[in-house]
């Protein structure tokens, strides 16, 4: 039995890039008999960027209800809130002491911010808080605390898993074999999805389609997809954004039909209308479940509490092993 672990940080509303890139593949993995899955909401990682209590609550429940609406089965998956596992923050501190500062200087999120500051003539550490700087260490603790074998992530998180491996390795060299060195699990169809403007769908580009907005919001977003100025009747390119998005929601044969219509000159307005229809049909049943959970947050809390209970059983065991290794027990 292999252990799979992943987290999503609640820093915004779940969008269809999150769904097709991370949530859907993770839920498919959780149906395999040979994998034991630990999925959590990384609320303390979100602290590095959130501005208020209201944002935390809003995004936390958005992400929690999204997982449940998309089919996560809490009987099969250990599903929990990161901040409920206090052992995580103890391990985080221990790991700080086997993490060279230089390793954090090279972590991409920190490095990118420093480079941006330098380019703008600001102090290099402007807007850098220690949560951001130490982010990869807490992420390592999240993973090692559960002896995870595989960590499903997007390519943008690959470096973090490499860092986690380095940290585990440093610990093991100093104190003897104690921590499992995890591997990233990157979907081969890779999971970067096209956004409204044709670039990668990402919150930071403001080109996302929210997964569970209402129907009207979905329609509006789809009508914002950037197209060229070709008129109805003129053939369109198969690699246009409308076509790429359409494929996500339908069978291969249906996708082919749509592509042929585009090549034959289907107008952008009609094409977007059809895209909206298939997207809405796909999302609607999940949206209903999402709305149910959003209206029953106590149920969600109870599910997460139960998950935390199960998670803590493992976390305590691993932390005990670590405390023994360092001589704290
Ligand atoms: N850093 C991840 C992200 O931004 C979220 C995350 C936190 C995570 N801890 C994790 C992912 C542990 C995998 C394993 O998406």
């Amino acid at each position: 039995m292999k252990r799979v672990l992943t987290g999503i940080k609640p820093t915004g509303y779940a969008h269809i890039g999150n769904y097709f890139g991370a949530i859907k593949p993770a839920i498919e993995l959780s149906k395999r008999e040979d994998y034991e899955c630990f999925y959590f909401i990384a609320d303390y990682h979100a602290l590095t960027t959130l501005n208020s209590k209201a944002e935390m609550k809003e995004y936390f429940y958005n992400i929690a209800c999204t997982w449940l609406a998309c089919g996560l089965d809490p009987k099969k998956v250990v599903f929990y809130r990161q901040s409920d596992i206090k052992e995580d923050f103890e391990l985080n501190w221990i790991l700080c002491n086997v993490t060279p500062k230089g390793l954090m200087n090279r972590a991409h999120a920190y490095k990118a911010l420093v480079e941006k500051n330098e380019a703008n003539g600001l102090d290099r550490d402007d807007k850098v808080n220690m949560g951001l700087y130490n982010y990869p260490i807490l992420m390592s603790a999240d993973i090692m605390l559960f002896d995870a074998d595989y960590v499903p992530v997007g390519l943008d998180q690959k470096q973090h898993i490499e860092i986690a491996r380095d940290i585990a390795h440093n610990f093991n060299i100093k104190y003897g074999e104690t921590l499992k060195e995890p591997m990233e699990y990157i979907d081969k169809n890779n999971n970067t999805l096209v956004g409204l403007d044709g670039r990668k769908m990402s919150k930071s580009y403001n080109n996302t389609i929210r997964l569970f907005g209402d129907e009207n919001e979905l329609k509006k977003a789809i009508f914002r997809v950037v197209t060229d100025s070709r008129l109805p009747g003129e053939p369109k390119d198969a690699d246009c954004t409308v076509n790429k998005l359409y494929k996500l929601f339908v069978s291969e044969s249906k996708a082919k039909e749509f592509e042929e219509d585009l090549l034959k000159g289907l107008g952008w307005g009609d094409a977007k209308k059809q895209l909206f229809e298939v997207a809405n049909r796909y999302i609607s049943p999940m949206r209903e479940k999402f709305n149910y959970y959003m209206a029953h947050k106590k149920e969600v809390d109870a599910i997460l509490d139960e998950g935390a209970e199960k998670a803590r059983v493992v976390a305590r065991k691993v932390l005990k092993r670590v405390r023994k290794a360092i001589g704290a027990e």
Side-chain angles (χ1 to χ4, degrees):
M1 185 72 100
K2 293 286 183 192
R3 188 165 290 157
V4 179
L5 173 143
T6 197
I8 293 189
K9 66 180 170 178
T11 49
Y13 295 118
H15 55 73
I16 68 165
N18 299 136
Y19 175 73
F20 286 104
I23 296 170
K24 182 169 178 257
I27 286 174
E28 276 161 14
L29 274 185
S30 74
K31 293 184 177 144
R32 288 179 50 157
E33 292 302 325
D34 50 342
Y35 286 169
E36 182 187 15
C37 296
F38 284 63
Y39 296 163
F40 67 99
I41 301 153
D43 57 344
Y44 274 16
H45 271 117
L47 285 175
T48 64
T49 47
L50 292 181
N51 296 309
S52 69
K53 164 181 167 181
E55 275 188 0
M56 173 65 100
K57 287 195 177 288
E58 179 79 5
Y59 298 143
F60 177 80
Y61 284 106
N62 179 273
I63 300 297
C65 297
T66 294
W67 274 112
L68 293 168
C70 294
L72 180 147
D73 176 357
K75 287 195 201 69
K76 290 199 80 174
V77 175
V78 181
F79 181 48
Y80 58 97
R81 179 181 200 143
Q82 178 189 35
S83 62
D84 280 342
I85 315 298
K86 308 302 179 208
E87 289 79 0
D88 198 17
F89 310 104
E90 187 171 340
L91 182 58
N92 172 65
W93 177 252
I94 296 169
L95 295 182
C96 282
N97 298 282
V98 290
T99 305
K101 179 166 177 282
L103 190 62
M104 296 300 97
N105 292 340
R106 292 191 293 278
H108 63 64
Y110 169 71
K111 221 171 107 190
L113 193 48
V114 168
E115 280 164 12
K116 195 170 134 204
N117 285 338
E118 280 174 342
N120 292 334
L122 297 167
D123 185 273
R124 59 197 308 275
D125 281 333
D126 196 61
K127 299 225 172 58
V128 176
N129 62 50
M130 291 306 291
L132 175 74
Y133 193 65
N134 289 332
Y135 188 108
I137 309 178
L138 180 56
M139 186 158 159
S140 303
D142 293 339
I143 298 168
M144 261 86 91
L145 188 60
F146 294 97
D147 286 334
D149 296 285
Y150 301 125
V151 185
V153 282
L155 271 181
D156 62 320
Q157 295 293 314
K158 186 165 180 265
Q159 188 200 27
H160 283 147
I161 313 302
E162 288 161 2
I163 290 175
R165 253 194 323 270
D166 278 355
I167 293 177
H169 187 71
N170 289 346
F171 186 99
N172 291 341
I173 297 236
K174 186 166 177 190
Y175 294 111
E177 254 341 282
T178 310
L179 294 172
K180 185 168 269 179
E181 296 176 23
M183 283 299 296
E184 63 275 12
Y185 187 108
I186 294 180
D187 201 81
K188 45 182 174 336
N189 316 307
N190 192 353
N191 35 38
T192 50
L193 213 91
V194 65
L196 296 176
D197 57 0
R199 292 187 290 175
K200 172 186 174 213
M201 186 178 286
S202 162
K203 242 179 353 226
S204 47
Y205 294 151
N206 191 24
N207 64 356
T208 60
I209 301 176
R210 186 167 156 184
L211 182 59
F212 298 129
D214 60 22
E215 250 183 61
N216 221 0
E217 185 179 332
L218 180 63
K219 191 180 276 165
K220 271 203 205 136
I222 285 174
F223 276 83
R224 272 177 55 212
V225 173
V226 176
T227 56
D228 58 29
S229 54
R230 276 176 251 188
L231 298 172
E234 290 182 66
K236 311 295 186 291
D237 292 331
D239 74 348
C240 65
T241 306
V242 175
N243 195 29
K244 285 183 189 154
L245 289 172
Y246 191 93
K247 281 193 173 91
L248 296 168
F249 300 103
V250 297
S251 67
E252 241 175 82
S253 62
K254 189 117 202 268
K256 213 157 164 243
E257 264 174 46
F258 183 75
E259 184 169 309
E260 278 164 15
D261 289 346
L262 281 172
L263 296 176
K264 276 192 235 143
L266 180 67
W268 289 125
D270 286 336
K272 286 180 177 181
K273 220 163 104 197
Q274 290 183 32
L275 171 57
F276 164 71
E277 273 158 20
V278 295
N280 192 44
R281 197 172 314 137
Y282 187 104
I283 292 170
S284 284
M286 297 194 291
R287 188 196 290 124
E288 258 173 55
K289 284 196 207 160
F290 175 81
N291 290 338
Y292 171 86
Y293 284 116
M294 285 299 284
H296 296 81
K297 295 206 178 84
K298 289 233 156 65
E299 259 180 62
V300 178
D301 290 338
I303 290 171
L304 291 168
D305 285 349
E306 224 177 281
E309 283 297 322
K310 291 187 219 159
R312 277 194 292 264
V313 173
V314 179
R316 278 193 211 111
K317 234 190 274 172
V318 176
L319 187 62
K320 197 167 175 62
R321 195 165 80 215
V322 171
R323 287 174 54 101
K324 275 197 175 141
I326 63 173
E329 269 188 31

